[in-house]
């Protein structure tokens, strides 16, 4: 069964630099980067929601000079 990947709302117009999310048959959340679609991270809906909360708070914002 093909996945229904959804792109992040902050993705660029050309589709680059985007994160895509889907759920699998077991109800787990799958995450991939559009530039490397063969590399998929799988997690539970609860852990995904906690991660999203951290992203919104800026917990993962790091600047590399």
């Amino acid at each position: 069964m093909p996945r229904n990947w959804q792109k992040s709302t902050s993705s660029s117009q050309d589709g680059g630099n985007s994160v895509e999310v889907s759920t699998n048959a077991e109800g787990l959340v799958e995450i991939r980067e559009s530039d490397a679609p063969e590399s998929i991270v799988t997690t539970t809906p609860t852990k995904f929601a906690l991660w999203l909360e951290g992203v919104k708070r800026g917990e993962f914002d790091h600047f590399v000079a």
Side-chain angles (χ1 to χ4, degrees):
M1 176 182 205
R3 293 179 184 96
N4 182 22
W5 291 101
Q6 297 178 343
K7 288 190 181 208
S8 166
T9 57
S10 59
S11 298
S12 61
Q13 290 288 358
D14 62 8
N17 298 323
S18 65
V19 174
E20 300 173 333
V21 179
S22 183
T23 53
N24 64 20
E26 292 82 28
L28 297 174
V29 177
E30 299 181 323
I31 310 161
R32 70 180 185 183
E33 182 183 358
S34 61
D35 292 344
E38 67 283 349
S39 184
I40 299 171
V41 175
T42 304
T43 190
T44 65
T46 301
K47 289 181 181 178
F48 181 66
L50 290 170
W51 176 77
L52 279 179
E53 289 175 14
V55 169
K56 290 177 183 178
R57 286 191 300 267
E59 292 179 10
F60 307 107
D61 293 350
H62 299 283
F63 297 98
V64 178

